[in-house]
Structure formats: C-alpha cells, structure tokens
Amino acid sequence: MLGILRQKVGAGSSSAMILGQRICPAASGLRGFASSAKEMTVRDALNSALDEEMSADPKVFLMGEEVGEYQGAYKITKGLLDKYGPDRVLDTPITEAGFTGIGVGAAYYGLRPVIEFMTFNFSMQAIDHIINSAAKSNYMSAGQINVPIVFRGPNGAAAGVGAQHSQCYAAWYAACPGLKVLTPYSSEDARGLLKAAIRDPDPVVFLENELLYGESFPVSAEVLDSSFCLPIGKAKIEREGKDVTITAFSKMVGYSLQAAEILAKEGISAEVINLRSIRPLDRKTINDSVRKTNRLVTVEEGFPQHGVGAEICASVVEDSFGYLDAPVERISGADVPMPYAANLERLAVPQVEDIVRAAKRACYKSSSLAASA
Amino acid sequence: MALSRLASSSGSSLLRPLTSALFLTPSLRRPISSAADDSTTLTIETSIPFTSHNCEPPSRTLETTPKELMTFFRDMALMRRMEIAADSLYKAKLIRGFCHLYDGQEAVAIGMEAAITKKDCIITAYRDHCTFLGRGGTLLQVFAELMGRQAGCSKGKGGSMHFYKKDAGFYGGHGIVGAQIPLGCGLAFGQKYSKDETVTFALYGDGAANQGQLFEALNISALWDLPAILVCENNHYGMGTAEWRAAKSPAYYKRGDYVPGLKVDGMDVFAVKQACKFAKEHALKNGPIILEMDTYRYHGHSMSDPGSTYRTRDEISGVRQERDPIDRIRKLIFAHDLATEKELKDIEKEVRKEVDEAIAQAKESPMLEPSELFTNIYVKGYGTESFGADRKEVRTVLP
C-alpha cells in the first residue's frame, strides 16, 4: 500500500521525471503513513544483496565502469570496494567488449562474476559475449562449460536521456535460449532476484531501472534475512482482481498498480501480475489469471514489435484461447527512437491513462478509440 | 608386434594419452647408436633466433631427449593424419558444416603442450581439432564429434568449432573471430584470482589480430597483470585475405605496444616449446606477453575453400618442402641416429591405423536421441518449458 502511494507522487508526474531527479523518499512527504514495516530503497536492496552474496561466496566479484572508487555510477555498489578490496571490486576501462569477455572467461574458469553495464544500452557493445560466449556455452559443450555470470545494470527509459540511452532490452535478451532474464520491481524483488541470480549456475541478465533506484518499498524481516531468495521463473500477483489481467514488469508494475486503483473506482477489478522473470516466463501464472479474468492487457516500456507483450499474447492465444472474451491489448513504448523533448518523451512511454484505457477496451467499456497521433 | 598390441587393447589405447603409446612399441626404442634412455640429452638449436619486442629473447639453444624427439614425431604425425582423414570424411559428407583443418600448424600445438601442464589453460578459435588432441582429447572424441555422434567430446552438439576439455584446461573451440581473446584473458583473471600460479594461452590468427576486443582485453590484462599469453598463429591468411591486405602493421608480436612480444618460427616445434616456456615464466611474473608463431596451413581456410585462389600452389608446396614441421623432426631424428627411415614409416603406418580404427569406432557411435535437443540449455531449468518447431507437437520441461 505504502509503495503504491509513493509511486503516485514520485513517478506519476512527468515534470518530476523531466528534471531527472533521483526520486528521494523524503520528497513524497508520506512519512505520516509509516507503519511498523521496515522500508528499503531499491538501491539499498541491490547493494545489500551484492554485499551479502560477496560475503557468502569468495568467488563472487564485481566488475564494471565506476563500480569501485566512484562507488557506482548510480551508487548501487557503494561501500563494496572498501569492504572487499580492489581484487574483488574492479573498475574497468570503458571497453565493454573487452571486460565482458574477460568476465565470461572468468566464469568459464569457475568464478562468479557480476558485470555491471552502466546502462544496458552499452551492453550492445558486448552482446556477442553475452549471447555467443555465455548463453550458448553450456549447450555447445554438452554441459562441460557452464557460465555462472550475472550481467546487471539499468535498462529502459530514464528521464530526458535521449534515443541512445533509453532502450529496453528485455525482449532481445529474453529471446535467447541459455539466458535467464530478470526484471525486479520492488525492493523485495531486487534483493530476492539478485541473490537468486548470483547463486544461479547459468548466465543471468538482470534488468534494473534507474528511476526505481530511489523508490522505497516495505520489506519484511524475511526479505531482510541474508538467506532470502526469490524463485526464478515465478511471477507475483501484486494485486488480485477478477475482471482483467494486467501483466507488467519493472517500472510499469507501479504504473499498472496505479491504473488498477483508477479502474477499481470505475468498477473494474484488475489483477496486476509483476512478471519478475521474462525468461523463463511464468506462462502458468499468466494463463491461470487469464482463465479467471478472461481479458488481458500487457504492459511494457520497450518497443512494441516483437516485444514481451507479443510473446505473452501468443502464449495466451495458444494455451487459453477459449477463455478470452476480448482481444489481447498491448501497451508499450512508442514505435520510435526516444525523443528528447519533454512532451514527445511523454508520448513515447506508456502512461497510467494508457493502461486504464486499454483495460477498459478489453472490458468493452470505453466509449471512444484513442486518437491517432 | 606393435600393431597387434594396439589392436588388442583397442578401446583403452585410444583413451591413453598419445605419448604413452610409444611405450607399447619397443621396436622403436632400438635406435641405431644413441642410448634409448631418457637421461640422454641432445643439444639443438632452433631454426632461427627469436626476434623480440620490449624483452630479452630466450636462447635459441636448448636441450631435448631422444624420447621427446620421437614423441614429437609421432604426435605430429598423428595430428597430420587426423586432419587428412577429416578432409576425406568431409568430402564423403560424413562431416557437415564447417571444418577448419590445422595440418601444417602441428608444431604450435605440440610445442606448446611440451612447455606447459594441464593446469595451464588453452583457448583457441575454430581451428581446434589438434589443440584438443594435444590437451588429451582422443581421436574417437574428435571424429565422433565431427560426425555428430554421442561419443563426441560435446556429444555431437557442438561440432567442429566447439571442442572442449575443461578437465585438461581446454576451453574451446570458438566460432566468433577474436572473441576467444578476452575469454582467455578472463581465464587468466580466474587463475590469478584463485592464486593458481598457472597461465592461459589465448590463440588467435592473423585475421583476428586486428580485432578491437584484442586490444581492449590486452589493455586490461596489462593493467591488472594477468598471466595471459596471447599467441598469434600467423599463417599469413585470414580466410582469403593475405596479411598485407588486412594489417597495416603485420608485425603482430609488436602490436601490443607496451606489452612485450616474441616472434617465433611456428614450424619448429622446439622454437615453439622454448617460446612457450619463456612466456609462461614471463607471464607469471610480469603479466601479458604476445607470441607470434610464424606458421602455415596447407589446407584452405575451411573445407569450402580450395586455398589456391589467393595463394599459389608453388607457395604451398614450397613451404611443405622447406619448412614442414614433421620433416624437420624427421631430419633431426636421422641426424642423431635415433631411428631408421623404415622405423619412422612404421610409426606413420601405425598412426594411420589408429586413426582408421577411431573413425570406424566413431561411425559405430549412435546419433543423439531427439530428447537431447533440449538438454544442457541450462544447468538449472526450474521446470520451465521449452518448445520444438511446432510447439503444440513438441514441448518439454527443462529440469
């Protein structure tokens, strides 16, 4: 509950985004709602997960640009250089192909690297190593060479950073057999999924979101425990509902929850699924939900063509066609490179009202179709 | 005699390391004049002195033993024969897709093995059959893999370009030109991180020598003092492009700039051995070093390349006559009276038989079960589903 309300103030308004501010919890002014539950930012969740896994296994090490002395470009690795030393927290030159290949080679040897991409846009410089050197090795070697590596970093749109720094890579990486692709939303997700990723014996692409780093979420004692881990390949039903299923991942989970609130006031009960894992995709949870609600809206930030929503739609049509009472709706980023101008940027990413509109359409309750641009 | 003994111990002799096969052939251990024991040392010189960049080159004089010479001969003859047999199998369409043959370059694989241990790592690109054999792989594993059978080193799922032998420090077998270099530096990182006091040899060709990722990885290796040895197997042609058309500076051993380098006659197995020994000592103390092996491939780039459109047949036969690595050892053996011509011919016949038997055995190895399509995608599949071409027909749960 608390998390949702913070979302509304922090991420909902575009003006806050355009200023490119890190959304700090203090700005939300919702201290009055504090309950006895502890709160943690996504940033701290990631930092504590890295810390605990490095402490538990000496083979885990970090590598990336500015992860050490700069304390992390987004401060995710803050304090880790001091704690673990330069042998385990390594600052690299700006050479993604080189250091990613070195990381994969270290994983071949048996170490457990966590490679940071300052943003996943830069992972394209190293994508051959992620796909051909990491993802496919276990298969090509018939199990001799496994690659226990994690590639992590911010993914998708930030605020005002333009076309080359805003792409979402979930669909591309999730297409590849041999990779696992995780997309945390809350602090619980961040902790549990990162720990699971580091412990996993296969290559994991861990897609964070810059605008979520400063968001606070309640965390239970169980989540704070150092053995806490979330299962890979299992989605979470963030909000139960019975009229329409909304699937989302990363920042769009927050938007979908806001949309669900609005829809509830109009008598539509939306079930919001936080995918958590794009590959493996939790088809069972999605299909079970659609079989209950009979309607589906997929939400993602990335480009629409061949996106995550396309896969979910196909999966539901294949497995639960008879249960669908309406065509599947897709909400995604616009089919354009990300523009810089604030008003155009707002049009290029999904907004809460887009999700609401699509859900209503799926429920045959909208009165007009969206005007074309 | 030797042949019958090999035949009787059929399966097991193929699995035994190459060198021990020599112990089954006492007939070869009766050289004409020199003593047959290992304690005899012979002092020889490499074909040419080493040329160095930013370091003192090692001496071109070194010691060897009759046993080592004979082992080198047999091992290289085995590799040569294996590659020629692969050529025939490819033409008979028993090997499909890519097949990049190493004949002519055997001295690099053999010389390197002689200087290092199985705890040191080797990683190379797709011309990997002989490198795999040198690391202790068997002929059966090679031929079965090439023919896509279960007994293959990657169970038939990798193919010619994807041989691996992790327990002997061989990390493949890579199809993307140049990718193996940062991977090799990563292996070296792992060795240093684990304080193993071992080194990694990352092999690449003159074609890959221009790759940006090489310089990225070399920069990091030099910064972090990684025990990485970059070995350029310069056979002078990157597929159909001669080195002078691809590289502004073909002095590959100098391209490391601040990283020292050594130019080595790659057709001289002793030069290779000496250089690798030197490089290992250097890398453990001072970080990365580049070795450029001046070598030559008799075949084209792959089986789809005749290899004669971009170079003359005279050039190829010229190298075969003047610089063939096996002939060099043959001459040394004769020079030191270690065996007769007949004895060497007998070894070659034996080797040929060994290869033929391995091929026969590989042909007997079954193809993979269809269910193997879905194995080894992940180590842990978490019960997720995977699909065949028609997902309503073929779907499975990954363990």
Side-chain angles (χ1 to χ4, degrees):
Chain A
M1 192 62 163
L2 212 56
I4 298 161
L5 290 169
R6 282 184 190 278
Q7 283 288 334
K8 207 182 265 184
V9 176
S13 74
S14 55
S15 54
M17 280 202 297
I18 300 312
L19 291 169
Q21 308 283 326
R22 306 250 184 284
I23 297 155
C24 53
S28 67
L30 289 169
R31 300 273 177 85
F33 286 81
S35 66
S36 55
K38 184 161 187 246
E39 289 239 318
M40 191 180 226
T41 61
V42 171
R43 176 178 287 110
D44 288 343
L46 294 168
N47 183 276
S48 62
L50 288 169
D51 191 349
E52 286 162 21
E53 294 306 302
M54 287 182 78
S55 174
D57 186 348
K59 292 203 167 112
V60 178
F61 70 94
L62 308 183
M63 193 153 75
E65 294 154 12
E66 312 297 357
V67 295
E69 291 187 15
Y70 197 85
Q71 307 298 323
Y74 301 98
K75 305 293 178 270
I76 306 299
T77 52
K78 185 170 180 196
L80 298 176
L81 172 64
D82 280 344
K83 190 164 177 185
Y84 296 102
D87 285 348
R88 293 184 69 193
V89 181
L90 296 125
D91 283 323
T92 64
I94 308 175
T95 53
E96 275 77 6
F99 70 71
T100 306
I102 286 181
V104 176
Y108 283 3
Y109 196 73
L111 300 185
R112 304 189 85 94
V114 179
I115 306 297
E116 176 175 304
F117 289 117
M118 199 179 283
T119 75
F120 263 89
N121 300 285
F122 314 139
S123 74
M124 292 198 287
Q125 306 231 296
I127 201 165
D128 176 62
H129 281 297
I130 299 173
I131 308 299
N132 281 323
S133 305
K136 298 177 183 173
S137 281
N138 199 55
Y139 193 83
M140 291 192 296
S141 69
Q144 260 193 83
I145 314 265
N146 74 304
V147 191
I149 194 168
V150 176
F151 303 104
R152 54 157 292 272
N155 173 64
V161 292
Q164 293 181 340
H165 290 77
S166 305
Q167 191 165 333
C168 173
Y169 292 87
W172 283 19
Y173 286 125
C176 297
L179 282 184
K180 291 168 180 165
V181 179
L182 302 178
T183 50
Y185 159 63
S186 62
S187 301
E188 176 181 328
D189 289 355
R191 265 184 66 78
L193 293 177
L194 186 53
K195 281 152 103 42
I198 293 173
R199 294 180 201 177
D200 197 275
D202 295 307
V204 181
V205 170
F206 193 83
L207 302 173
E208 301 160 5
N209 186 289
E210 189 203 317
L211 297 174
L212 284 177
Y213 284 153
E215 292 285 321
S216 271
F217 294 86
V219 282
S220 67
E222 189 202 346
V223 171
L224 291 171
D225 189 78
S226 65
S227 65
F228 177 66
C229 214
L230 281 173
I232 291 180
K234 288 274 168 290
K236 180 186 179 196
I237 301 194
E238 290 285 347
R239 178 188 175 121
E240 283 193 18
K242 54 181 184 52
D243 294 331
V244 60
T245 299
I246 303 178
T247 62
F249 60 95
S250 190
K251 194 151 112 269
M252 292 294 121
V253 176
Y255 282 31
S256 300
L257 288 168
Q258 288 180 59
E261 276 294 307
I262 295 171
L263 288 164
K265 294 191 176 73
E266 304 197 26
I268 297 176
S269 156
E271 178 150 291
V272 176
I273 300 181
N274 171 5
L275 292 173
R276 281 183 167 174
S277 179
I278 309 296
R279 185 173 187 107
L281 191 61
D282 189 350
R283 298 172 204 277
K284 182 166 192 314
T285 299
I286 298 167
N287 276 282
D288 283 350
S289 175
V290 172
R291 287 175 183 215
K292 182 174 74 170
T293 64
N294 311 124
R295 296 161 204 280
L296 174 62
V297 177
T298 69
V299 184
E300 67 197 287
E301 211 184 73
F303 298 138
Q305 191 164 338
H306 311 299
V308 175
E311 172 62 31
I312 293 176
C313 175
S315 182
V316 163
V317 163
E318 278 159 7
D319 290 341
S320 309
F321 182 69
Y323 292 83
L324 282 169
D325 285 347
V328 175
E329 297 281 349
R330 279 190 296 174
I331 292 297
S332 71
D335 204 9
V336 302
M338 181 68 68
Y340 166 69
N343 59 330
L344 293 186
E345 187 186 58
R346 196 176 188 288
L347 292 172
V349 288
Q351 303 299 328
V352 175
E353 55 257 33
D354 293 316
I355 305 174
V356 170
R357 192 186 316 111
K360 282 185 183 168
R361 271 203 312 265
C363 294
Y364 295 128
K365 289 207 172 124
S366 63
S367 49
S368 66
L369 294 167
S372 54
Chain B
M1 221 198 59
L3 294 173
S4 59
R5 197 166 314 185
L6 275 175
S8 63
S9 51
S10 56
S12 55
S13 75
L14 291 170
L15 294 169
R16 223 172 279 143
L18 297 172
T19 53
S20 73
L22 212 49
F23 291 112
L24 300 175
T25 54
S27 60
L28 297 167
R29 309 291 274 137
R30 278 186 276 109
I32 293 171
S33 52
S34 325
D37 58 290
D38 298 350
S39 57
T40 316
T41 50
L42 307 162
T43 307
I44 56 170
E45 273 199 334
T46 61
S47 58
I48 50 171
F50 297 99
T51 321
S52 68
H53 167 74
N54 280 353
C55 66
E56 276 303 305
S59 162
R60 67 184 286 207
T61 309
L62 49 98
E63 291 187 340
T64 182
T65 64
K67 179 180 169 202
E68 184 172 58
L69 266 167
M70 296 305 293
T71 306
F72 281 172
F73 179 82
R74 191 184 201 284
D75 291 352
M76 287 199 282
L78 187 71
M79 287 182 173
R80 178 69 56 93
R81 186 64 222 147
M82 174 180 80
E83 296 293 74
I84 308 272
D87 175 299
S88 307
L89 286 174
Y90 193 89
K91 287 173 176 151
K93 296 201 193 305
L94 284 161
I95 299 176
R96 305 170 329 114
F98 291 126
C99 190
H100 306 86
L101 299 176
Y102 200 75
D103 50 311
Q105 298 183 214
E106 299 88 350
V108 177
I110 297 293
M112 187 177 290
E113 283 301 334
I116 64 177
T117 73
K118 296 293 189 282
K119 294 250 181 295
D120 297 309
C121 301
I122 298 181
I123 192 168
T124 186
Y126 42 76
R127 205 175 297 280
D128 60 349
H129 307 163
C130 297
T131 318
F132 170 76
L133 205 68
R135 290 265 87 184
T138 68
L139 291 169
L140 173 62
Q141 287 171 328
V142 170
F143 289 118
E145 186 60 35
L146 291 172
M147 293 195 275
R149 309 297 179 95
Q150 282 184 28
C153 54
S154 302
K155 294 211 290 199
K157 291 170 83 165
S160 166
M161 298 186 289
H162 304 299
F163 288 13
Y164 304 86
K165 196 166 166 53
K166 189 170 174 179
D167 59 9
F170 181 54
Y171 287 85
H174 293 271
I176 307 296
V177 170
Q180 74 276 18
I181 300 162
L183 294 173
C185 296
L187 293 171
F189 178 92
Q191 291 169 318
K192 182 164 180 171
Y193 189 101
S194 312
K195 301 184 169 38
D196 286 346
E197 292 296 305
T198 50
V199 298
T200 295
F201 288 81
L203 278 60
Y204 59 99
D206 45 289
N210 302 309
Q211 278 259 319
Q213 58 188 320
L214 185 159
F215 298 95
E216 294 189 16
L218 195 60
N219 176 48
I220 293 178
S221 302
L223 268 174
W224 297 351
D225 282 313
L226 302 182
I229 299 155
L230 272 61
V231 181
C232 178
E233 292 186 279
N234 182 7
N235 57 26
H236 307 284
Y237 296 92
M239 201 153 133
T241 304
E243 63 181 322
W244 59 269
R245 288 177 63 218
K248 185 73 177 166
S249 161
Y252 302 106
Y253 71 108
K254 286 190 188 167
R255 298 269 289 270
D257 183 18
Y258 40 82
V259 170
L262 206 62
K263 186 160 173 172
V264 183
D265 178 0
M267 306 300 257
D268 175 355
V269 68
F270 288 104
V272 173
K273 180 185 173 189
Q274 183 82 319
C276 290
K277 185 157 164 278
F278 172 79
K280 176 170 175 174
E281 279 161 25
H282 181 279
L284 282 172
K285 281 205 301 283
N286 307 322
I289 183 169
I290 298 181
L291 298 179
E292 181 187 335
M293 304 287 183
D294 184 352
T295 184
Y296 200 82
R297 54 166 162 81
Y298 295 137
H299 268 87
H301 164 73
S302 72
M303 286 305 298
S304 9
D305 170 26
S308 49
T309 56
Y310 47 86
R311 49 185 195 172
T312 63
R313 292 190 198 277
D314 282 346
E315 181 189 289
I316 305 171
S317 53
V319 173
R320 220 186 259 279
Q321 257 174 317
E322 306 293 316
R323 299 180 65 208
D324 185 271
I326 301 176
D327 280 345
R328 159 174 286 279
I329 297 301
R330 195 193 308 267
K331 288 184 185 119
L332 270 171
I333 289 173
F334 292 154
H336 292 276
D337 288 330
L338 299 179
T340 62
E341 192 163 328
K342 179 177 186 308
E343 281 165 338
L344 291 190
K345 281 225 180 345
D346 283 345
I347 295 179
E348 283 174 317
K349 271 196 214 139
E350 232 177 75
V351 145
R352 196 185 174 114
K353 188 161 196 292
E354 206 177 311
V355 165
D356 289 343
E357 280 171 4
I359 292 176
Q361 222 182 332
K363 284 179 180 169
E364 295 296 305
S365 177
M367 304 280 289
L368 288 160
E369 292 298 313
S371 60
E372 289 281 355
L373 179 66
F374 296 107
T375 56
N376 308 124
I377 301 171
Y378 299 111
V379 175
K380 276 203 191 148
Y382 302 111
T384 186
E385 277 191 302
S386 190
F387 308 96
D390 180 348
R391 54 209 285 146
K392 303 233 159 145
E393 265 295 298
V394 180
R395 60 206 289 167
T396 187
V397 169
L398 302 179

